[in-house]
Amino acid sequence: MAKIIVVTSGKGGVGKTTSSAAIGTGIAMRGFKTVIIDFDIGLRNLDLIMGCERRVVYDFVNVINGEANLKQAMIKDKRIDTLFILPASQTRDKDALSKEGVERILNELAEEFDYIICDSPAGIESGAMMALYFADEAIVVTNPEVSSVRDSDRILGMLSSKSRRAEQGLPGIKEHLLLTRYNPERVVKGEMLSVEDVGEILAIKLLGVIPESQAVLNASNSGTPVILDEESDAGQAYLDTVARLLGEDVPFRFLNVEKKGLLKRIFGG
Amino acid sequence: MSDHSFELKGSLFPLSVLYCQDLSAAAVKTQLQQKLAQAPAFFYRAPVVINVESVTQAPDFAAIAEVFKELELVLVGVCGASAELKKVAQAAGLASLQLSKSKTPAKESKEKETKTEAAVAAPVMETKVVEQNIRSGQQIYAKGADLVIRGTVGAGAEVIADGNIHIYGTLRGKAIAGAAGDSQKRVFCHKLEAELISIAGSYWLSDSLQGEYWGKSACIGLQDDKLVLADLL
C-alpha cells in the first residue's frame, strides 16, 4: 500500500513545492516508485521546478474529468526511473477538484506506487484541504518567522480535525516539521526564530532543517530539484531529511554558524 | 367545533420570588445588585414576584418597578398582599398572585425545595478532557463542564468552559472560564503566555498579564471584580 504524504504549510512562498520536488526525488533515488502530484491548480509550479514544463500534455484535472487516463497525464522523470510527476492544470481553478475524483485517482496510483507526494497549495481553502484530506503523513514546511509558524499551527489543527483519518477516527496523520530558509547567523542576531523556538511552539517532531541557500534558487531556475545538487548545503540537508523520513537516524546539520576561514572570508562563502 | 386560534388557559411557570425586609427602592436596589453580580447571566430579564406578606406600610411600587427596569429584571407582581396592599399594587399596574393556601406546608415545601436545589446545584460537575494540542484557529467549548487540556493552547486558539479550565501545557491563546457567568471559576495553566483570559465576562489582555507570572505556572481567579494571579502550588 502506498504511503500518501502531503507537503503543506498554510502560508505561501515558504518552500512547499521546492521541498515536494526535493523530497519526492530523494525518495525515488532510493528506489521507491514515487509520484509527486501538484495540487496547486491554476498556478502550476511543480513542473517548472522539476524541469518538465514543456512535456505537460494532460494534467490532474483532465484525469479527474475522465478526459485522459493517468498513463497519459503522468510525466516520467528523465533523471530517475522511479519518479513521476502529475502536473496541475493552469487553466482551471481549485474548485475543479472533487473529493471523489481525488480519491479515485489516489486509489489508482496507490496500486502502482510506493509513495504519493501531494504538493499542497497555500491557504486553507478547498485546494489545500483536498491535498491533505487523504494523507497518511504530513510534512509541514515552516520558515523561522512568526507568521509562518502561526499558519503552520493552523494547518496542524486542520490535519487533526479535517482529514479523512480524523473524520473516520483512524490513527492521526503523522506530522513532521520541516524548517526551511534557516539562517543560523540571523538566528544568533535575533532576527529569526531558532529551531528550538519553532519546535516549542508547534510541538511536533523535527524532520529536517534546510539552510537558506543560493543553491535553492539556482536549482529552481534550472529545473533541477536541489537534492540533486549534492555539493550544496541545501541538497545535503534534503538528503538527510529523506533519510529521516525513511526512518534512519541522522544527526542534524547546518544549525550553527560556520566559522569562516581566512580565504572564505576574503573570497566569500 | 373548537377554535384553536384563540385560547386562554391556565398554566404554571417558575417565578423568582423576592423576600426583602426593607422594601424601600434604595434598599431593594443595593441588595439586588449584590445578588446579580454573582450571576448576571442567570437573572437576565428574569420575571420576579415580590413577597409583601410582612410589609406593614405600602411600598412605593412605581419606584421599585424603576429599579427592576434599570437592572434588566421584569417585575410581574406581588404575592401575599393584604386587601389594602392589593389595591396599591393594582394601581401600580402589578398583578397580585396568590400564595399557596395553607401556610405551614408551603413553608415546608419551600425548605424541601432549597434542599433539592442544593442537591442539584452541587452535582458532580462534568469534565471535558482534550488529549491534544489546541492549534491556532481551533475552538473548544466545554458546556456546563470543566475543561482539561493535556497539551498546549496555541496562539490564536480559544478554550472556553462554563466551569474551570486546566491547561497542562502552555497557554498562548485565549482562555474563557465561567462562561455562563460564574465568577468563582478559575483558569489554571502550567505556563502563562496568554493572549486573553476571561472569567465570568471580565477579561484581561496579554499586556495586563505580563509580570511576575508571565511564562510561569499560575492560577487566575476573580476577586472583587479584580484579576488575581496566584502560584499554582
Side-chain angles (χ1 to χ4, degrees):
Chain A
M1 190 64 193
K3 209 172 246 181
I4 302 175
I5 302 175
V6 60
V7 179
T8 185
S9 71
K11 194 168 160 58
V14 294
K16 283 183 296 297
T17 303
T18 300
S19 297
S20 297
I23 291 170
T25 306
I27 294 173
M29 281 159 68
R30 299 286 194 108
F32 294 105
K33 209 163 175 204
T34 307
V35 56
I36 313 173
I37 308 176
D38 191 350
F39 272 79
D40 204 349
I41 311 295
L43 289 174
R44 215 184 92 184
N45 287 162
L46 180 69
D47 48 305
L48 284 171
I49 290 182
M50 293 299 294
C52 61
E53 76 276 12
R54 287 198 209 91
R55 296 165 63 205
V56 176
V57 182
Y58 292 108
D59 58 53
F60 194 17
V61 175
N62 291 138
V63 183
I64 285 185
N65 293 344
E67 295 150 10
N69 64 38
L70 268 173
K71 288 261 175 317
Q72 290 172 301
M74 276 195 300
I75 302 168
K76 190 169 189 287
D77 189 80
K78 283 191 169 163
R79 296 154 292 221
I80 296 145
D81 284 345
T82 49
L83 182 61
F84 290 80
I85 289 110
L86 186 55
S89 168
Q90 210 156 18
T91 51
R92 308 294 293 271
D93 62 32
K94 292 181 176 73
D95 299 328
L97 296 179
S98 67
K99 213 179 247 179
E100 296 72 31
V102 172
E103 185 172 26
R104 184 167 50 81
I105 289 171
L106 289 177
N107 285 339
E108 208 175 312
L109 288 170
E111 286 172 18
E112 198 185 330
F113 286 90
D114 300 312
Y115 283 91
I116 301 170
I117 313 288
C118 303
D119 179 21
S120 171
I124 53 170
E125 287 79 28
S126 67
M129 289 299 108
M130 215 62 85
L132 67 78
Y133 188 75
F134 297 99
D136 300 308
E137 297 192 19
I139 297 172
V140 179
V141 184
T142 307
N143 287 168
E145 49 99 14
V146 285
S147 64
S148 175
V149 172
R150 175 70 63 91
D151 292 359
S152 294
D153 197 43
R154 184 93 170 87
I155 277 290
L156 284 164
M158 300 261 177
L159 286 168
S160 61
S161 61
K162 296 272 160 64
S163 62
R164 175 173 62 173
R165 281 173 171 269
E167 283 179 5
Q168 297 182 353
L170 300 167
I173 293 176
K174 198 170 167 193
E175 299 154 341
H176 307 277
L177 173 62
L178 181 64
L179 210 52
T180 54
R181 298 208 169 151
Y182 196 71
N183 185 336
E185 283 174 35
R186 297 188 65 187
V187 171
V188 171
K189 283 189 209 153
E191 295 170 355
M192 254 187 197
L193 295 174
S194 69
V195 177
E196 292 76 25
D197 292 340
V198 180
E200 201 204 313
I201 296 171
L202 294 179
I204 55 171
K205 205 164 179 334
L206 185 64
L207 178 70
V209 179
I210 313 299
E212 191 168 46
S213 165
Q214 185 60 37
V216 174
L217 195 59
N218 294 344
S220 296
N221 289 337
S222 65
T224 321
V226 69
I227 199 167
L228 294 173
D229 182 359
E230 291 180 23
E231 302 286 300
S232 71
D233 48 358
Q236 290 173 24
Y238 272 117
L239 283 169
D240 289 358
T241 302
V242 168
R244 283 186 210 106
L245 190 65
L246 297 173
E248 291 166 29
D249 194 10
V250 183
F252 286 91
R253 295 191 275 172
F254 315 112
L255 297 185
N256 299 313
V257 182
E258 258 181 85
K259 286 197 183 76
K260 283 186 181 171
L262 182 66
L263 282 176
K264 265 199 168 178
R265 258 187 236 181
I266 295 168
F267 298 109
Chain B
M1 237 172 74
S2 64
D3 183 2
H4 288 284
S5 67
F6 181 83
E7 277 177 303
L8 194 57
K9 280 181 164 180
S11 199
L12 293 167
F13 294 99
L15 290 172
S16 306
V17 180
L18 175 70
Y19 295 84
C20 195
Q21 287 297 322
D22 182 357
L23 273 176
S24 69
V28 169
K29 187 175 179 179
T30 38
Q31 304 231 28
L32 273 178
Q33 269 172 337
Q34 277 174 17
K35 192 75 194 164
L36 290 182
Q38 289 172 14
F42 186 77
F43 288 109
Y44 179 73
R45 299 214 56 83
V48 180
V49 173
I50 305 175
N51 187 307
V52 287
E53 267 178 297
S54 51
V55 172
T56 45
Q57 212 182 344
D60 183 357
F61 287 121
I64 294 176
E66 276 304 307
V67 170
F68 272 66
K69 210 171 174 186
E70 193 184 321
L71 297 174
E72 301 265 15
L73 293 166
V74 181
L75 179 55
V76 178
V78 295
C79 63
S82 62
E84 195 187 324
L85 269 175
K86 268 184 192 168
K87 275 185 197 160
V88 183
Q90 268 167 26
L94 295 176
S96 79
L97 291 94
Q98 259 182 328
L99 280 175
S100 312
K101 277 177 189 125
S102 64
K103 256 188 159 182
T104 22
K107 239 186 186 171
E108 245 180 42
S109 74
K110 201 192 142 226
E111 266 172 24
K112 257 189 206 161
E113 251 174 46
T114 43
K115 263 183 201 163
T116 46
E117 237 173 60
V120 175
V124 185
M125 200 172 191
E126 278 192 53
T127 305
K128 179 172 183 166
V129 183
V130 180
E131 309 259 358
Q132 61 178 38
N133 295 324
I134 313 300
R135 304 286 182 181
S136 170
Q138 287 186 307
Q139 199 182 47
I140 306 279
Y141 176 36
K143 190 173 165 51
D146 278 2
L147 179 59
V148 174
I149 310 280
R150 279 187 68 200
T152 285
V153 177
E158 276 180 36
V159 289
I160 307 165
D162 290 342
N164 300 299
I165 299 178
H166 306 257
I167 298 156
Y168 288 93
T170 307
L171 169 57
R172 297 199 184 90
K174 299 178 179 171
I176 296 153
D182 187 345
S183 57
Q184 299 303 304
K185 300 303 177 201
R186 290 190 282 176
V187 174
F188 305 85
C189 63
H190 213 259
K191 195 172 174 193
L192 176 67
E193 289 176 13
E195 284 171 355
L196 176 144
I197 286 183
S198 165
I199 291 164
S202 312
Y203 68 90
W204 302 271
L205 291 173
S206 157
D207 290 348
S208 8
L209 294 165
Q210 313 237 347
E212 200 191 333
Y213 289 96
W214 192 253
K216 298 197 183 108
S217 65
C219 152
I220 304 106
L222 195 61
Q223 240 172 46
D224 305 327
D225 284 340
K226 269 188 197 150
L227 163 76
V228 183
L229 286 149
D231 288 326
L232 196 54
L233 286 171

